[in-house]
Amino acid sequence: MKRFLVLSIVVALLLCVSNVQAGDMLQIKGSDTLINLVQRLSEVYMQKNPGKYISVTGGGSGTGIAAIINGKCDIANASRLMKPKEVEQASKGGVNVKRVVVAMDGLSVITNANNPVNLTVDQIGKIYRSEVSDWSEVGGKGGKITLYGRQSNSGTFVFFRDAILKGEYAGTMRRMNGNAQIVEAVKQDKTGIGYVGVGYVKKAKGLNIVKVAAREGAPYSSPLNSEDVKSGTYPIARPLNQYVNGTPMGAVADFIAFELSDEGQKIVEEEGFFLLPQEYVDFNKKSVGL
Amino acid sequence: MRRVKDKMIHGLFFLNGIFVVAILLGIFSLLVFTAFPAFKEINILDFLTGSIWNPDAYLEPSYGIVPMLVSTFMVTLGALVVAIPIGIGAAAYLSDVASPRVREVTKPIIEILAGIPSVVIGFLGIVLVGPFIAKVFGLSNGLNAINGSILLAVMALPTIISMSEDALTSVPSNYEQASLALGATKWQTVIKVKIPAALSGIIAACMLGMGRAVGETMTVLMATGCAPAMPKGFLDSVRTMTSTIAIELGEVAYNSTHYYALFAVGLVLFIITFIINMTSDIILHKYEKVHR
């Protein structure tokens, strides 16, 4: 009996300890494009602020947005905007979402190193809608194009479709399970084409990072040139967002302030993303006051 | 006191049995009730015969499961073509050729194969099997139905080998002795007497292996490319029912048509695996009766 009592006290204590930790732990969830960056940011943040815990997990923007709607996380990473339907769903459940833009992302289009093409936005659209099926039709070496893209739970999938294709993806596009898999596939595939966040290709070898022109006759620019992304000359750039429940306070506000600080933005650049243009700095002030 | 204890244990086991049945019924009714609303908005004929699956479309969503059915069928068939000859061969080796010592070491090793996580096998599909297939067939990449088939075959092998070996060992030894006494060689005895005698057990083993292949998710999700278009051959990328559910269920809006449609796909899958398992059970039963 005595032993049982001791055991139950120990168990109860353990439960208390784990509860305390879970309560202090900031849960961040969502976009696979943002995960590396936010993980890095949280590591530096935790080093500077001992006793604070942040857990960052991926799963895609859709997963993160679903989590914030259901109150299962504190911050949702999203590489796309929330749909009006989702915002409505959230407010029905008492979650009043606010958006913060933490970084700019140039979405890079990649091909195999043996196929150094430059493309216009229009050509990329045609390729992914499978209106063009051979590289010789768009100035490449020739060979049947293999399409690689993300799965439909990815914000990148939705952004690329809505902004570049403005139509349906070809049914033959291979739906890969994350950015890294696309990079891996295109490295091996001489006639492949894929799209991934710039952070994933900055240090990758064996790839051609396609220079893209907004239209026929416009200058071709590379997503590796940060000035072009910031100024909007590079045509496939997008804001990377975080969604929070209501005006952030306490630990959430503290972490977001760190992300937007000069130190945080330096990490953003180191991870291969781009600094916020003034328009989004103003937007954040208006949205969450940070 | 003893009687009470006996009764309690009896009751406990009965509860356990009922519990499992209840879980099965629960899952089945959940599938049916969640799948049903899908057909308020989707024509059931379009669902079963449509060749385009594109629920989060830019314009018009469409819900046709034929490409998925074909894909699942293709990788399963491919897996069986690879796994059955190897599986039966290995089983025959273990039961009739291998020395007891070799068997003692080999059989547990084969059974360990069943415990390798499917993610690991899927990863091997990407980095090892895929490039190999691409090279052999002169393709630009190896994420296709053959890749999925080979990996699923590897995963189905332990079941097939282990159960076939049991079936072969349980063939009464007088069959074997009679055959040898009539002057048949060892090889002839295995091929013409033992395997036919154990056939129903072997078929049941293959059916169970097939059930494993139909329901496997992560491996095919990683290794087959998951293109939703209708596959034209084994060198095309395929997207099975399981991978579609796995990809889409995580982010689908609750109680939307898409959500219900995914459960409808799950229901179809459940019915398929149920039929496979049922058939293998019936065959196995028949075989037990023959030898009693």
Side-chain angles (χ1 to χ4, degrees):
Chain A
M1 194 61 210
K2 203 171 170 192
R3 195 181 278 170
F4 176 73
L5 209 70
V6 171
L7 195 75
S8 54
I9 289 173
V10 169
V11 169
L13 274 178
L14 278 176
L15 282 176
C16 283
V17 170
S18 57
N19 261 344
V20 167
Q21 274 210 353
D24 267 7
M25 175 106 74
L26 210 58
Q27 298 284 348
I28 305 182
K29 211 174 207 174
S31 166
D32 285 326
T33 309
L34 269 160
I35 183 166
N36 285 348
L37 168 64
V38 177
Q39 229 153 31
R40 182 76 209 293
L41 282 164
S42 69
E43 273 162 22
V44 176
Y45 177 79
M46 282 189 283
Q47 250 171 28
K48 287 184 57 179
N49 300 281
K52 300 222 164 157
Y53 298 97
I54 302 178
S55 120
V56 187
T57 50
S61 302
T63 312
I65 288 171
I68 194 102
I69 290 175
N70 299 324
K72 295 253 170 67
C73 69
D74 301 299
I75 300 178
N77 292 333
S79 59
R80 63 169 169 90
L81 294 180
M82 274 176 82
K83 296 171 197 157
K85 229 177 164 179
E86 291 167 335
V87 175
E88 193 187 314
Q89 219 179 351
S91 63
K92 256 190 215 156
V95 176
N96 171 26
V97 289
K98 299 254 182 190
R99 171 179 168 222
V100 185
V101 180
V102 287
M104 291 297 284
D105 182 23
L107 204 57
S108 48
V109 176
I110 52 175
T111 58
N112 191 272
N114 293 319
N115 186 23
V117 287
N118 293 329
L119 300 167
T120 65
V121 168
D122 186 49
Q123 282 173 326
I124 295 172
K126 276 187 179 151
I127 290 173
Y128 271 96
R129 293 191 303 264
S130 81
E131 287 158 24
V132 167
S133 63
D134 198 285
W135 280 114
S136 58
E137 292 168 67
V138 287
K141 271 186 192 161
K144 200 170 175 301
I145 301 174
T146 326
L147 303 173
Y148 293 96
R150 295 291 303 279
Q151 291 165 352
S152 57
N153 53 353
S154 144
T156 315
F157 174 98
V158 176
F159 167 78
F160 199 72
R161 183 187 67 193
D162 294 353
I164 308 297
L165 270 70
K166 301 194 169 68
E168 308 290 1
Y169 281 111
T172 50
M173 180 177 86
R174 282 168 164 73
R175 314 286 168 107
M176 309 300 282
N177 200 7
N179 282 299
Q181 274 195 23
I182 296 181
V183 170
E184 213 42 58
V186 174
K187 257 190 208 172
Q188 289 174 13
D189 191 334
K190 290 204 169 82
T191 59
I193 183 169
Y195 56 83
V196 292
V198 175
Y200 284 87
V201 295
K202 232 177 175 180
K203 291 166 201 151
K205 295 205 172 77
L207 291 175
N208 165 48
I209 295 156
V210 177
K211 287 187 176 154
V212 184
R215 69 197 83 76
E216 193 86 39
Y220 288 96
S221 65
S222 162
L224 297 183
N225 183 342
S226 52
E227 280 313 306
D228 283 357
V229 177
K230 239 178 121 173
S231 68
T233 317
Y234 182 73
I236 321 178
R238 57 176 176 170
L240 296 176
N241 314 295
Q242 288 186 326
Y243 283 97
V244 291
N245 179 9
T247 305
M249 292 189 296
V252 177
D254 203 39
F255 180 64
I256 291 178
F258 171 74
E259 290 181 309
L260 299 177
S261 69
D262 287 345
E263 197 186 349
Q265 291 293 304
K266 212 178 124 207
I267 297 174
V268 164
E269 269 200 307
E270 282 167 11
E271 286 294 311
F273 298 101
F274 305 97
L275 301 180
L276 296 179
Q278 194 56 41
E279 98 184 82
Y280 285 116
V281 173
D282 296 340
F283 172 86
N284 287 341
K285 283 220 173 78
K286 229 174 103 190
S287 173
V288 294
L290 289 166
Chain B
M1 188 63 199
R2 204 173 194 169
R3 291 267 309 259
V4 174
K5 211 172 171 185
D6 264 7
K7 268 210 169 138
M8 271 172 66
I9 289 175
H10 184 91
L12 188 70
F13 283 174
F14 175 75
L15 274 182
N16 285 345
I18 288 292
F19 185 57
V20 173
V21 173
I23 289 179
L24 179 70
L25 286 178
I27 291 177
F28 184 70
S29 51
L30 173 92
L31 272 176
V32 170
F33 285 114
T34 328
F36 188 70
F39 300 112
K40 278 184 200 151
E41 286 179 49
I42 313 167
N43 183 331
I44 192 159
L45 268 180
D46 290 346
F47 181 74
L48 292 175
T49 60
S51 61
I52 296 172
W53 175 269
N54 190 7
D56 13 42
Y58 186 67
L59 300 169
E60 272 291 293
S62 42
Y63 301 89
I65 64 165
V66 176
M68 282 183 235
L69 278 172
V70 172
S71 298
T72 298
F73 178 72
M74 277 169 67
V75 288
T76 309
L77 184 78
L80 290 180
V81 167
V82 178
I84 289 180
I86 299 178
I88 296 181
Y93 168 77
L94 282 178
S95 76
D96 288 271
V97 185
S99 67
R101 247 179 98 188
V102 172
R103 178 167 39 216
E104 256 166 49
V105 177
T106 322
K107 217 182 166 194
I109 291 180
I110 289 170
E111 273 153 15
I112 288 175
L113 191 60
I116 297 178
S118 49
V119 181
V120 175
I121 295 188
F123 183 72
L124 288 181
I126 294 176
V127 299
L128 208 74
V129 184
F132 176 73
I133 291 173
K135 226 177 203 169
V136 170
F137 292 96
L139 303 169
S140 65
N141 67 80
L143 298 170
N144 52 29
I146 292 191
N147 194 338
S149 298
I150 292 175
L151 298 177
L152 287 182
V154 170
M155 301 183 78
L157 269 177
T159 317
I160 297 181
I161 295 177
S162 182
M163 282 188 60
S164 303
E165 201 253 349
D166 289 346
L168 283 170
T169 338
S170 62
V171 171
S173 61
N174 46 3
Y175 282 37
E176 190 180 350
Q177 283 156 7
S179 166
L180 291 173
L182 285 171
T185 60
K186 181 117 189 161
W187 167 251
Q188 286 168 329
T189 306
V190 171
I191 296 294
K192 297 207 167 144
V193 176
K194 289 197 79 178
I195 290 184
L199 197 60
S200 51
I202 292 174
I203 290 176
C206 296
M207 298 286 282
L208 275 187
M210 182 173 163
R212 175 114 166 81
V214 169
E216 176 48 43
T217 308
M218 200 59 206
T219 308
V220 283
L221 174 67
M222 290 170 80
T224 57
C226 288
M230 178 75 91
K232 295 192 193 76
F234 273 89
L235 295 178
D236 270 356
S237 167
V238 295
R239 174 165 167 167
T240 62
M241 290 189 274
T242 48
S243 28
T244 304
I245 298 173
I247 291 170
E248 292 173 10
L249 196 60
E251 52 82 44
V252 68
Y254 248 56
N255 298 344
S256 58
T257 310
H258 185 186
Y259 177 84
Y260 295 131
L262 286 174
F263 275 88
V265 174
L267 184 64
V268 173
L269 186 63
F270 181 86
I271 292 172
I272 293 175
T273 39
F274 185 76
I275 291 173
I276 293 173
N277 284 339
M278 188 89 152
T279 321
S280 74
D281 212 51
I282 292 171
I283 294 173
L284 200 62
H285 222 72
K286 212 170 142 194
Y287 136 90
E288 273 171 354
K289 266 188 199 150
V290 167
H291 290 299
R292 232 171 243 162

